């Protein structure tokens, strides 16, 4: 059976502050720049969720993309959209919310939720120019 990868894109808007309490205020400012702003700031994030599987003979789908959208909304987007990623999101608690750390945390939540489909890649866009990808490890 052919295996195909399908991808759904979802958007969310959220505030954060990048800060490592183990570093000095000056080191944090130098390292994180505007993202260290003490009173938060926002990003318009995009999350591309890819799952792979065999094409179902009856439906012609790997997974119904509406089903995938609902799963991602329930487990991730509804928890992060219009929230403060440093304080409001249970699965990001105590994490410095860089795009790298966010994408790994999202994977750990979503990977079990999409089974039997196989999560193969998350691509998290923090700006139009910057994205990170995670394929699990
Ligand atoms: Ni930022």
């Amino acid at each position: 059976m052919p295996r195909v990868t399908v991808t759904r894109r979802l958007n969310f808007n959220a505030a954060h502050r990048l800060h490592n309490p183990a570093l000095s205020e000056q080191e944090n400012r130098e390292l994180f720049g505007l993202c260290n702003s003490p009173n938060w700031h926002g990003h318009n994030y995009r999350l591309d969720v890819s799952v792979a599987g065999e094409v179902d003979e009856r439906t012609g789908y790997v997974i119904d993309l509406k089903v995938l959208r609902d799963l991602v909304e329930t487990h991730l987007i509804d928890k992060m959209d219009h929230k403060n990623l440093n304080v409001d999101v249970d699965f990001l608690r105590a994490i410095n919310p860089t795009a790298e750390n966010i994408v790994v945390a999202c994977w750990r939540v979503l990977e079990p939720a999409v089974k039997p489909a196989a999560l193969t890649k998350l691509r998290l866009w923090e700006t139009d120019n910057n994205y990170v990808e995670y394929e699990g490890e």
Side-chain angles (χ1 to χ4, degrees):
M1 287 293 290
R3 278 178 71 82
V4 176
T5 299
V6 299
T7 301
R8 171 76 196 202
R9 170 170 292 179
L10 295 98
N11 301 299
F12 63 99
N13 307 312
H16 78 164
R17 181 193 188 201
L18 300 186
H19 184 84
N20 181 344
L23 303 176
S24 71
E25 294 296 323
Q26 185 181 344
E27 285 172 316
N28 271 290
R29 274 196 301 276
E30 288 171 4
L31 187 56
F32 299 122
L34 288 174
C35 279
N36 184 242
S37 174
N39 293 329
W40 325 104
H41 63 278
H43 291 282
N44 301 321
Y45 291 95
R46 290 196 297 279
L47 182 64
D48 297 334
V49 177
S50 297
V51 303
E54 294 183 351
V55 179
D56 183 273
E57 265 182 44
R58 186 176 70 84
T59 63
Y61 290 157
V62 171
I63 185 172
D64 185 332
L65 280 171
K66 292 193 300 294
V67 171
L68 181 59
R69 177 201 64 196
D70 288 347
L71 285 167
V72 179
E73 284 182 345
T74 300
H75 289 89
L76 298 178
I77 303 299
D78 290 350
K79 295 181 176 178
M80 297 191 290
D81 191 29
H82 287 74
K83 299 290 171 55
N84 181 323
L85 301 180
N86 293 74
V87 297
D88 292 331
V89 183
D90 53 1
F91 63 84
L92 296 176
R93 199 145 288 154
I95 288 176
N96 189 25
T98 60
E100 290 89 333
N101 285 337
I102 296 168
V103 81
V104 172
C106 285
W107 178 283
R108 289 177 178 157
V109 171
L110 194 60
E111 193 268 338
V114 300
K115 286 179 177 172
L119 187 63
T120 56
K121 184 189 283 188
L122 292 178
R123 175 182 289 181
L124 178 65
W125 297 78
E126 191 174 71
T127 71
D128 287 339
N129 299 319
N130 298 342
Y131 67 79
V132 298
E133 293 180 319
Y134 187 58
E135 297 177 5
E137 267 172 24

